[in-house]
Amino acid sequence: MPTLTLQTLMSEATALVGGRLDMSASQVSLYVNMAQLEVARALPHGEMEATVYLSSVTSATTAAGFPADFDEPIALSRISAFDTFGYLHLAQVPIRQIDDAIDSTGTATGSPNRYAIHNQDIWVYPVPSSALSLKLRYRKVPADMTALTAVPSVHTRYHPAILYKTAENLAMRALDAQLAAYYRNTYISFMQATPSTQEVRTRSERPAPA
């Protein structure tokens, strides 16, 4: 699958809707980036996953300093130390569950077994009784493409989906409902037929002999 640049996506999407000249380059670029975001949001977590490490966590709240591409958490886990129940992963809970902790103050210490994300902070509970290192796996937001040579943040197998979704966006912009519906259906069909990375990596596996 060839890599499609922003320039290629813009020119090809414009051609798909009849080579319209009444849309500026900035408008077409906007619709390409909107299409990339929609494609990314439709993909499984594994396609858009990234990791950040939080070291020396010693209080209930850690200023996570989320990376610019942070979208939503997938999992928060200890790097090495297990909790008292033998688990590495912390359970995500609503912030009110930590606020309403059983000791009524939320200040109990011990081995954290749950966390909540509130604003730009990660709250863990109980408060770590010793320094703790954590690994946050998260879903990332694709980077905006601004340079014409920029490429999408999703795997190349999904680049045609961005093209079809952009064509749909441009057709909607031109108030051509029939053409927009055509490319919407093309996009949906393509996404349904395209295997995820995990499916590609495991589809050649064979059952173990009995």
mmCIF file of all heavy atoms in Angstrom, residues 17-69:
data_model
loop_
_atom_site.group_PDB
_atom_site.id
_atom_site.type_symbol
_atom_site.label_atom_id
_atom_site.label_comp_id
_atom_site.label_asym_id
_atom_site.label_seq_id
_atom_site.Cartn_x
_atom_site.Cartn_y
_atom_site.Cartn_z
ATOM 1 N N VAL A 17 -14.281 14.464 -6.463
ATOM 2 C CA VAL A 17 -15.551 15.215 -6.448
ATOM 3 C C VAL A 17 -15.667 16.137 -7.654
ATOM 4 O O VAL A 17 -16.425 17.114 -7.624
ATOM 5 C CB VAL A 17 -15.712 16.018 -5.136
ATOM 6 C CG1 VAL A 17 -15.828 15.074 -3.955
ATOM 7 C CG2 VAL A 17 -14.566 16.999 -4.928
ATOM 8 N N GLY A 18 -14.916 15.818 -8.690
ATOM 9 C CA GLY A 18 -15.079 16.544 -9.946
ATOM 10 C C GLY A 18 -14.100 17.668 -10.179
ATOM 11 O O GLY A 18 -14.326 18.519 -11.036
ATOM 12 N N GLY A 19 -13.004 17.693 -9.419
ATOM 13 C CA GLY A 19 -11.988 18.719 -9.624
ATOM 14 C C GLY A 19 -12.478 20.118 -9.337
ATOM 15 O O GLY A 19 -12.133 21.071 -10.045
ATOM 16 N N ARG A 20 -13.267 20.254 -8.313
ATOM 17 C CA ARG A 20 -13.857 21.555 -7.987
ATOM 18 C C ARG A 20 -12.769 22.585 -7.704
ATOM 19 O O ARG A 20 -11.790 22.310 -7.011
ATOM 20 C CB ARG A 20 -14.778 21.431 -6.782
ATOM 21 C CG ARG A 20 -15.924 20.435 -6.965
ATOM 22 C CD ARG A 20 -16.818 20.450 -5.742
ATOM 23 N NE ARG A 20 -17.460 21.741 -5.588
ATOM 24 C CZ ARG A 20 -18.665 22.034 -6.080
ATOM 25 N NH1 ARG A 20 -19.340 21.128 -6.752
ATOM 26 N NH2 ARG A 20 -19.193 23.233 -5.901
ATOM 27 N N LEU A 21 -12.989 23.786 -8.220
ATOM 28 C CA LEU A 21 -12.034 24.877 -8.038
ATOM 29 C C LEU A 21 -12.546 25.939 -7.066
ATOM 30 O O LEU A 21 -11.904 26.966 -6.869
ATOM 31 C CB LEU A 21 -11.721 25.529 -9.392
ATOM 32 C CG LEU A 21 -11.113 24.592 -10.459
ATOM 33 C CD1 LEU A 21 -10.926 25.354 -11.768
ATOM 34 C CD2 LEU A 21 -9.794 24.024 -9.981
ATOM 35 N N ASP A 22 -13.737 25.680 -6.461
ATOM 36 C CA ASP A 22 -14.321 26.680 -5.578
ATOM 37 C C ASP A 22 -13.975 26.436 -4.109
ATOM 38 O O ASP A 22 -14.560 27.031 -3.222
ATOM 39 C CB ASP A 22 -15.839 26.712 -5.739
ATOM 40 C CG ASP A 22 -16.478 25.343 -5.514
ATOM 41 O OD1 ASP A 22 -15.740 24.340 -5.511
ATOM 42 O OD2 ASP A 22 -17.716 25.277 -5.342
ATOM 43 N N MET A 23 -12.996 25.547 -3.865
ATOM 44 C CA MET A 23 -12.539 25.288 -2.506
ATOM 45 C C MET A 23 -11.055 25.600 -2.414
ATOM 46 O O MET A 23 -10.269 25.155 -3.250
ATOM 47 C CB MET A 23 -12.784 23.829 -2.106
ATOM 48 C CG MET A 23 -14.248 23.422 -2.125
ATOM 49 S SD MET A 23 -14.468 21.713 -1.599
ATOM 50 C CE MET A 23 -16.163 21.427 -2.118
ATOM 51 N N SER A 24 -10.679 26.359 -1.408
ATOM 52 C CA SER A 24 -9.277 26.728 -1.244
ATOM 53 C C SER A 24 -8.470 25.553 -0.717
ATOM 54 O O SER A 24 -9.021 24.580 -0.180
ATOM 55 C CB SER A 24 -9.150 27.908 -0.273
ATOM 56 O OG SER A 24 -9.536 27.500 1.035
ATOM 57 N N ALA A 25 -7.159 25.662 -0.863
ATOM 58 C CA ALA A 25 -6.274 24.608 -0.364
ATOM 59 C C ALA A 25 -6.431 24.428 1.142
ATOM 60 O O ALA A 25 -6.390 23.303 1.658
ATOM 61 C CB ALA A 25 -4.825 24.934 -0.716
ATOM 62 N N SER A 26 -6.621 25.531 1.851
ATOM 63 C CA SER A 26 -6.768 25.437 3.304
ATOM 64 C C SER A 26 -8.050 24.712 3.682
ATOM 65 O O SER A 26 -8.089 23.969 4.663
ATOM 66 C CB SER A 26 -6.749 26.840 3.930
ATOM 67 O OG SER A 26 -7.827 27.629 3.447
ATOM 68 N N GLN A 27 -9.118 24.902 2.905
ATOM 69 C CA GLN A 27 -10.369 24.201 3.173
ATOM 70 C C GLN A 27 -10.213 22.702 2.942
ATOM 71 O O GLN A 27 -10.640 21.888 3.755
ATOM 72 C CB GLN A 27 -11.491 24.750 2.285
ATOM 73 C CG GLN A 27 -11.999 26.128 2.680
ATOM 74 C CD GLN A 27 -13.044 26.636 1.715
ATOM 75 O OE1 GLN A 27 -12.870 26.564 0.496
ATOM 76 N NE2 GLN A 27 -14.130 27.179 2.242
ATOM 77 N N VAL A 28 -9.570 22.340 1.835
ATOM 78 C CA VAL A 28 -9.374 20.925 1.526
ATOM 79 C C VAL A 28 -8.473 20.279 2.575
ATOM 80 O O VAL A 28 -8.727 19.164 3.030
ATOM 81 C CB VAL A 28 -8.783 20.748 0.115
ATOM 82 C CG1 VAL A 28 -8.547 19.265 -0.181
ATOM 83 C CG2 VAL A 28 -9.707 21.360 -0.935
ATOM 84 N N SER A 29 -7.431 20.996 2.985
ATOM 85 C CA SER A 29 -6.541 20.488 4.028
ATOM 86 C C SER A 29 -7.307 20.244 5.327
ATOM 87 O O SER A 29 -7.091 19.240 6.022
ATOM 88 C CB SER A 29 -5.400 21.483 4.270
ATOM 89 O OG SER A 29 -4.591 21.068 5.352
ATOM 90 N N LEU A 30 -8.206 21.160 5.664
ATOM 91 C CA LEU A 30 -9.026 21.000 6.865
ATOM 92 C C LEU A 30 -9.841 19.713 6.791
ATOM 93 O O LEU A 30 -9.899 18.942 7.758
ATOM 94 C CB LEU A 30 -9.958 22.199 7.014
ATOM 95 C CG LEU A 30 -11.056 22.071 8.084
ATOM 96 C CD1 LEU A 30 -10.442 21.990 9.479
ATOM 97 C CD2 LEU A 30 -12.032 23.250 7.989
ATOM 98 N N TYR A 31 -10.453 19.459 5.642
ATOM 99 C CA TYR A 31 -11.292 18.271 5.509
ATOM 100 C C TYR A 31 -10.466 16.989 5.511
ATOM 101 O O TYR A 31 -10.943 15.948 5.964
ATOM 102 C CB TYR A 31 -12.150 18.377 4.248
ATOM 103 C CG TYR A 31 -13.260 19.397 4.384
ATOM 104 C CD1 TYR A 31 -13.372 20.472 3.506
ATOM 105 C CD2 TYR A 31 -14.189 19.281 5.416
ATOM 106 C CE1 TYR A 31 -14.381 21.408 3.647
ATOM 107 C CE2 TYR A 31 -15.204 20.218 5.562
ATOM 108 C CZ TYR A 31 -15.295 21.287 4.681
ATOM 109 O OH TYR A 31 -16.307 22.213 4.838
ATOM 110 N N VAL A 32 -9.238 17.038 5.015
ATOM 111 C CA VAL A 32 -8.349 15.876 5.085
ATOM 112 C C VAL A 32 -8.044 15.549 6.545
ATOM 113 O O VAL A 32 -8.106 14.392 6.969
ATOM 114 C CB VAL A 32 -7.045 16.118 4.306
ATOM 115 C CG1 VAL A 32 -6.038 14.992 4.595
ATOM 116 C CG2 VAL A 32 -7.310 16.205 2.812
ATOM 117 N N ASN A 33 -7.720 16.567 7.328
ATOM 118 C CA ASN A 33 -7.398 16.335 8.741
ATOM 119 C C ASN A 33 -8.628 15.893 9.535
ATOM 120 O O ASN A 33 -8.510 15.061 10.452
ATOM 121 C CB ASN A 33 -6.782 17.589 9.352
ATOM 122 C CG ASN A 33 -5.309 17.739 9.013
ATOM 123 O OD1 ASN A 33 -4.466 16.995 9.512
ATOM 124 N ND2 ASN A 33 -4.986 18.695 8.150
ATOM 125 N N MET A 34 -9.797 16.424 9.191
ATOM 126 C CA MET A 34 -11.028 15.955 9.823
ATOM 127 C C MET A 34 -11.262 14.481 9.496
ATOM 128 O O MET A 34 -11.669 13.688 10.364
ATOM 129 C CB MET A 34 -12.219 16.800 9.359
ATOM 130 C CG MET A 34 -12.232 18.222 9.901
ATOM 131 S SD MET A 34 -13.537 19.244 9.149
ATOM 132 C CE MET A 34 -15.002 18.306 9.548
ATOM 133 N N ALA A 35 -10.990 14.110 8.255
ATOM 134 C CA ALA A 35 -11.170 12.715 7.844
ATOM 135 C C ALA A 35 -10.201 11.803 8.576
ATOM 136 O O ALA A 35 -10.570 10.708 9.017
ATOM 137 C CB ALA A 35 -10.971 12.598 6.334
ATOM 138 N N GLN A 36 -8.944 12.250 8.732
ATOM 139 C CA GLN A 36 -7.967 11.434 9.447
ATOM 140 C C GLN A 36 -8.424 11.185 10.878
ATOM 141 O O GLN A 36 -8.315 10.072 11.401
ATOM 142 C CB GLN A 36 -6.591 12.104 9.471
ATOM 143 C CG GLN A 36 -5.578 11.293 10.256
ATOM 144 C CD GLN A 36 -4.256 11.992 10.473
ATOM 145 O OE1 GLN A 36 -3.211 11.347 10.479
ATOM 146 N NE2 GLN A 36 -4.269 13.290 10.666
ATOM 147 N N LEU A 37 -8.947 12.225 11.534
ATOM 148 C CA LEU A 37 -9.407 12.093 12.910
ATOM 149 C C LEU A 37 -10.558 11.099 13.008
ATOM 150 O O LEU A 37 -10.598 10.262 13.923
ATOM 151 C CB LEU A 37 -9.837 13.457 13.449
ATOM 152 C CG LEU A 37 -10.289 13.503 14.910
ATOM 153 C CD1 LEU A 37 -9.174 13.031 15.832
ATOM 154 C CD2 LEU A 37 -10.712 14.914 15.291
ATOM 155 N N GLU A 38 -11.475 11.148 12.059
ATOM 156 C CA GLU A 38 -12.614 10.226 12.097
ATOM 157 C C GLU A 38 -12.159 8.790 11.858
ATOM 158 O O GLU A 38 -12.646 7.860 12.503
ATOM 159 C CB GLU A 38 -13.662 10.631 11.070
ATOM 160 C CG GLU A 38 -14.912 9.769 11.133
ATOM 161 C CD GLU A 38 -16.124 10.426 10.499
ATOM 162 O OE1 GLU A 38 -16.069 11.628 10.212
ATOM 163 O OE2 GLU A 38 -17.134 9.717 10.297
ATOM 164 N N VAL A 39 -11.229 8.604 10.923
ATOM 165 C CA VAL A 39 -10.706 7.255 10.672
ATOM 166 C C VAL A 39 -10.008 6.728 11.921
ATOM 167 O O VAL A 39 -10.222 5.585 12.342
ATOM 168 C CB VAL A 39 -9.733 7.255 9.475
ATOM 169 C CG1 VAL A 39 -9.005 5.911 9.368
ATOM 170 C CG2 VAL A 39 -10.482 7.552 8.183
ATOM 171 N N ALA A 40 -9.174 7.560 12.538
ATOM 172 C CA ALA A 40 -8.442 7.140 13.725
ATOM 173 C C ALA A 40 -9.386 6.731 14.847
ATOM 174 O O ALA A 40 -9.139 5.742 15.551
ATOM 175 C CB ALA A 40 -7.515 8.260 14.197
ATOM 176 N N ARG A 41 -10.465 7.470 15.024
ATOM 177 C CA ARG A 41 -11.410 7.163 16.094
ATOM 178 C C ARG A 41 -12.181 5.878 15.837
ATOM 179 O O ARG A 41 -12.731 5.276 16.764
ATOM 180 C CB ARG A 41 -12.379 8.334 16.281
ATOM 181 C CG ARG A 41 -11.742 9.534 16.967
ATOM 182 C CD ARG A 41 -12.683 10.713 17.079
ATOM 183 N NE ARG A 41 -12.117 11.776 17.919
ATOM 184 C CZ ARG A 41 -12.594 12.994 18.000
ATOM 185 N NH1 ARG A 41 -13.664 13.337 17.289
ATOM 186 N NH2 ARG A 41 -12.021 13.898 18.784
ATOM 187 N N ALA A 42 -12.230 5.449 14.591
ATOM 188 C CA ALA A 42 -12.943 4.221 14.253
ATOM 189 C C ALA A 42 -12.064 2.982 14.407
ATOM 190 O O ALA A 42 -12.567 1.859 14.321
ATOM 191 C CB ALA A 42 -13.467 4.306 12.813
ATOM 192 N N LEU A 43 -10.771 3.184 14.653
ATOM 193 C CA LEU A 43 -9.833 2.059 14.711
ATOM 194 C C LEU A 43 -9.757 1.458 16.112
ATOM 195 O O LEU A 43 -10.033 2.135 17.109
ATOM 196 C CB LEU A 43 -8.439 2.526 14.287
ATOM 197 C CG LEU A 43 -8.314 3.052 12.857
ATOM 198 C CD1 LEU A 43 -6.875 3.498 12.587
ATOM 199 C CD2 LEU A 43 -8.736 1.985 11.854
ATOM 200 N N PRO A 44 -9.372 0.187 16.214
ATOM 201 C CA PRO A 44 -9.179 -0.433 17.532
ATOM 202 C C PRO A 44 -8.073 0.285 18.306
ATOM 203 O O PRO A 44 -7.216 0.961 17.720
ATOM 204 C CB PRO A 44 -8.757 -1.873 17.184
ATOM 205 C CG PRO A 44 -9.197 -2.092 15.779
ATOM 206 C CD PRO A 44 -9.119 -0.752 15.107
ATOM 207 N N HIS A 45 -8.085 0.113 19.637
ATOM 208 C CA HIS A 45 -7.089 0.773 20.482
ATOM 209 C C HIS A 45 -5.663 0.500 19.995
ATOM 210 O O HIS A 45 -4.810 1.386 19.986
ATOM 211 C CB HIS A 45 -7.216 0.289 21.929
ATOM 212 C CG HIS A 45 -8.312 0.964 22.690
ATOM 213 N ND1 HIS A 45 -8.756 2.235 22.420
ATOM 214 C CD2 HIS A 45 -9.071 0.531 23.739
ATOM 215 C CE1 HIS A 45 -9.721 2.574 23.249
ATOM 216 N NE2 HIS A 45 -9.947 1.557 24.057
ATOM 217 N N GLY A 46 -5.404 -0.746 19.599
ATOM 218 C CA GLY A 46 -4.041 -1.122 19.231
ATOM 219 C C GLY A 46 -3.457 -0.335 18.084
ATOM 220 O O GLY A 46 -2.232 -0.208 17.968
ATOM 221 N N GLU A 47 -4.321 0.204 17.235
ATOM 222 C CA GLU A 47 -3.840 0.964 16.079
ATOM 223 C C GLU A 47 -3.344 2.351 16.468
ATOM 224 O O GLU A 47 -2.537 2.953 15.762
ATOM 225 C CB GLU A 47 -4.949 1.100 15.037
ATOM 226 C CG GLU A 47 -5.463 -0.211 14.485
ATOM 227 C CD GLU A 47 -4.498 -0.874 13.526
ATOM 228 O OE1 GLU A 47 -3.509 -0.228 13.110
ATOM 229 O OE2 GLU A 47 -4.729 -2.049 13.184
ATOM 230 N N MET A 48 -3.840 2.876 17.582
ATOM 231 C CA MET A 48 -3.512 4.246 17.975
ATOM 232 C C MET A 48 -2.901 4.292 19.371
ATOM 233 O O MET A 48 -2.973 5.305 20.050
ATOM 234 C CB MET A 48 -4.775 5.115 17.927
ATOM 235 C CG MET A 48 -5.460 5.202 16.575
ATOM 236 S SD MET A 48 -4.389 5.843 15.269
ATOM 237 C CE MET A 48 -4.059 7.498 15.854
ATOM 238 N N GLU A 49 -2.296 3.207 19.797
ATOM 239 C CA GLU A 49 -1.793 3.125 21.169
ATOM 240 C C GLU A 49 -0.393 3.718 21.315
ATOM 241 O O GLU A 49 0.451 3.597 20.434
ATOM 242 C CB GLU A 49 -1.765 1.664 21.623
ATOM 243 C CG GLU A 49 -1.359 1.483 23.080
ATOM 244 C CD GLU A 49 -1.466 0.041 23.540
ATOM 245 O OE1 GLU A 49 -2.392 -0.662 23.087
ATOM 246 O OE2 GLU A 49 -0.629 -0.383 24.364
ATOM 247 N N ALA A 50 -0.168 4.367 22.449
ATOM 248 C CA ALA A 50 1.147 4.904 22.798
ATOM 249 C C ALA A 50 1.344 4.697 24.298
ATOM 250 O O ALA A 50 0.415 4.328 25.015
ATOM 251 C CB ALA A 50 1.252 6.386 22.437
ATOM 252 N N THR A 51 2.572 4.926 24.777
ATOM 253 C CA THR A 51 2.904 4.673 26.176
ATOM 254 C C THR A 51 3.703 5.829 26.747
ATOM 255 O O THR A 51 4.546 6.421 26.063
ATOM 256 C CB THR A 51 3.735 3.378 26.309
ATOM 257 O OG1 THR A 51 2.978 2.283 25.782
ATOM 258 C CG2 THR A 51 4.080 3.090 27.762
ATOM 259 N N VAL A 52 3.426 6.162 28.009
ATOM 260 C CA VAL A 52 4.218 7.147 28.736
ATOM 261 C C VAL A 52 4.480 6.576 30.126
ATOM 262 O O VAL A 52 3.638 5.874 30.693
ATOM 263 C CB VAL A 52 3.500 8.516 28.821
ATOM 264 C CG1 VAL A 52 2.225 8.423 29.641
ATOM 265 C CG2 VAL A 52 4.424 9.578 29.390
ATOM 266 N N TYR A 53 5.673 6.850 30.673
ATOM 267 C CA TYR A 53 6.054 6.332 31.983
ATOM 268 C C TYR A 53 6.016 7.442 33.018
ATOM 269 O O TYR A 53 6.471 8.562 32.772
ATOM 270 C CB TYR A 53 7.451 5.717 31.916
ATOM 271 C CG TYR A 53 7.497 4.467 31.070
ATOM 272 C CD1 TYR A 53 7.763 4.525 29.706
ATOM 273 C CD2 TYR A 53 7.245 3.209 31.635
ATOM 274 C CE1 TYR A 53 7.789 3.384 28.920
ATOM 275 C CE2 TYR A 53 7.269 2.061 30.864
ATOM 276 C CZ TYR A 53 7.538 2.150 29.508
ATOM 277 O OH TYR A 53 7.550 1.012 28.739
ATOM 278 N N LEU A 54 5.451 7.123 34.174
ATOM 279 C CA LEU A 54 5.352 8.065 35.285
ATOM 280 C C LEU A 54 6.198 7.497 36.417
ATOM 281 O O LEU A 54 5.894 6.434 36.955
ATOM 282 C CB LEU A 54 3.901 8.216 35.734
ATOM 283 C CG LEU A 54 2.879 8.508 34.622
ATOM 284 C CD1 LEU A 54 1.465 8.452 35.179
ATOM 285 C CD2 LEU A 54 3.162 9.851 33.989
ATOM 286 N N SER A 55 7.254 8.181 36.774
ATOM 287 C CA SER A 55 8.180 7.653 37.767
ATOM 288 C C SER A 55 8.056 8.384 39.105
ATOM 289 O O SER A 55 7.618 9.529 39.175
ATOM 290 C CB SER A 55 9.624 7.759 37.268
ATOM 291 O OG SER A 55 9.971 9.099 37.000
ATOM 292 N N SER A 56 8.420 7.675 40.158
ATOM 293 C CA SER A 56 8.476 8.234 41.520
ATOM 294 C C SER A 56 7.161 8.867 41.953
ATOM 295 O O SER A 56 7.123 10.000 42.441
ATOM 296 C CB SER A 56 9.624 9.248 41.630
ATOM 297 O OG SER A 56 10.857 8.640 41.327
ATOM 298 N N VAL A 57 6.059 8.153 41.748
ATOM 299 C CA VAL A 57 4.756 8.627 42.208
ATOM 300 C C VAL A 57 4.662 8.390 43.716
ATOM 301 O O VAL A 57 4.750 7.261 44.186
ATOM 302 C CB VAL A 57 3.616 7.881 41.488
ATOM 303 C CG1 VAL A 57 2.262 8.335 42.016
ATOM 304 C CG2 VAL A 57 3.709 8.112 39.987
ATOM 305 N N THR A 58 4.513 9.453 44.484
ATOM 306 C CA THR A 58 4.520 9.325 45.950
ATOM 307 C C THR A 58 3.313 9.968 46.614
ATOM 308 O O THR A 58 3.208 9.970 47.832
ATOM 309 C CB THR A 58 5.793 9.964 46.537
ATOM 310 O OG1 THR A 58 5.875 11.333 46.110
ATOM 311 C CG2 THR A 58 7.046 9.229 46.087
ATOM 312 N N SER A 59 2.396 10.531 45.849
ATOM 313 C CA SER A 59 1.231 11.177 46.446
ATOM 314 C C SER A 59 -0.025 10.702 45.746
ATOM 315 O O SER A 59 0.037 9.995 44.732
ATOM 316 C CB SER A 59 1.348 12.702 46.337
ATOM 317 O OG SER A 59 1.358 13.093 44.983
ATOM 318 N N ALA A 60 -1.180 11.092 46.285
ATOM 319 C CA ALA A 60 -2.450 10.657 45.700
ATOM 320 C C ALA A 60 -2.615 11.208 44.292
ATOM 321 O O ALA A 60 -3.207 10.576 43.432
ATOM 322 C CB ALA A 60 -3.609 11.113 46.580
ATOM 323 N N THR A 61 -2.095 12.388 44.071
ATOM 324 C CA THR A 61 -2.235 13.029 42.777
ATOM 325 C C THR A 61 -0.881 13.161 42.117
ATOM 326 O O THR A 61 0.078 13.607 42.728
ATOM 327 C CB THR A 61 -2.830 14.436 42.913
ATOM 328 O OG1 THR A 61 -3.983 14.379 43.731
ATOM 329 C CG2 THR A 61 -3.197 14.998 41.562
ATOM 330 N N THR A 62 -0.801 12.769 40.856
ATOM 331 C CA THR A 62 0.416 12.996 40.101
ATOM 332 C C THR A 62 0.085 13.865 38.904
ATOM 333 O O THR A 62 -0.859 13.579 38.169
ATOM 334 C CB THR A 62 1.057 11.671 39.634
ATOM 335 O OG1 THR A 62 2.183 11.964 38.809
ATOM 336 C CG2 THR A 62 0.092 10.799 38.858
ATOM 337 N N ALA A 63 0.795 14.959 38.757
ATOM 338 C CA ALA A 63 0.591 15.813 37.594
ATOM 339 C C ALA A 63 1.083 15.034 36.392
ATOM 340 O O ALA A 63 2.272 14.887 36.176
ATOM 341 C CB ALA A 63 1.354 17.128 37.745
ATOM 342 N N ALA A 64 0.159 14.483 35.660
ATOM 343 C CA ALA A 64 0.526 13.530 34.625
ATOM 344 C C ALA A 64 1.369 14.148 33.523
ATOM 345 O O ALA A 64 2.214 13.486 32.944
ATOM 346 C CB ALA A 64 -0.730 12.914 34.021
ATOM 347 N N GLY A 65 1.148 15.418 33.256
ATOM 348 C CA GLY A 65 1.868 16.007 32.140
ATOM 349 C C GLY A 65 1.573 15.236 30.869
ATOM 350 O O GLY A 65 2.467 14.821 30.154
ATOM 351 N N PHE A 66 0.288 15.023 30.627
ATOM 352 C CA PHE A 66 -0.098 14.210 29.485
ATOM 353 C C PHE A 66 0.548 14.727 28.202
ATOM 354 O O PHE A 66 0.609 15.931 27.963
ATOM 355 C CB PHE A 66 -1.621 14.227 29.316
ATOM 356 C CG PHE A 66 -2.373 13.552 30.428
ATOM 357 C CD1 PHE A 66 -3.427 14.195 31.043
ATOM 358 C CD2 PHE A 66 -2.026 12.288 30.866
ATOM 359 C CE1 PHE A 66 -4.129 13.585 32.068
ATOM 360 C CE2 PHE A 66 -2.720 11.667 31.888
ATOM 361 C CZ PHE A 66 -3.762 12.318 32.492
ATOM 362 N N PRO A 67 1.000 13.813 27.354
ATOM 363 C CA PRO A 67 1.562 14.259 26.077
ATOM 364 C C PRO A 67 0.504 14.950 25.224
ATOM 365 O O PRO A 67 -0.703 14.769 25.444
ATOM 366 C CB PRO A 67 2.042 12.942 25.431
ATOM 367 C CG PRO A 67 1.280 11.871 26.126
ATOM 368 C CD PRO A 67 1.039 12.350 27.513
ATOM 369 N N ALA A 68 0.963 15.724 24.275
ATOM 370 C CA ALA A 68 0.042 16.519 23.462
ATOM 371 C C ALA A 68 -0.935 15.651 22.677
ATOM 372 O O ALA A 68 -2.024 16.108 22.333
ATOM 373 C CB ALA A 68 0.838 17.401 22.503
ATOM 374 N N ASP A 69 -0.557 14.411 22.404
ATOM 375 C CA ASP A 69 -1.428 13.545 21.603
ATOM 376 C C ASP A 69 -2.316 12.645 22.457
ATOM 377 O O ASP A 69 -2.943 11.726 21.952
ATOM 378 C CB ASP A 69 -0.608 12.697 20.632
ATOM 379 C CG ASP A 69 0.368 11.766 21.337
ATOM 380 O OD1 ASP A 69 0.502 11.841 22.575
ATOM 381 O OD2 ASP A 69 1.010 10.951 20.640
#
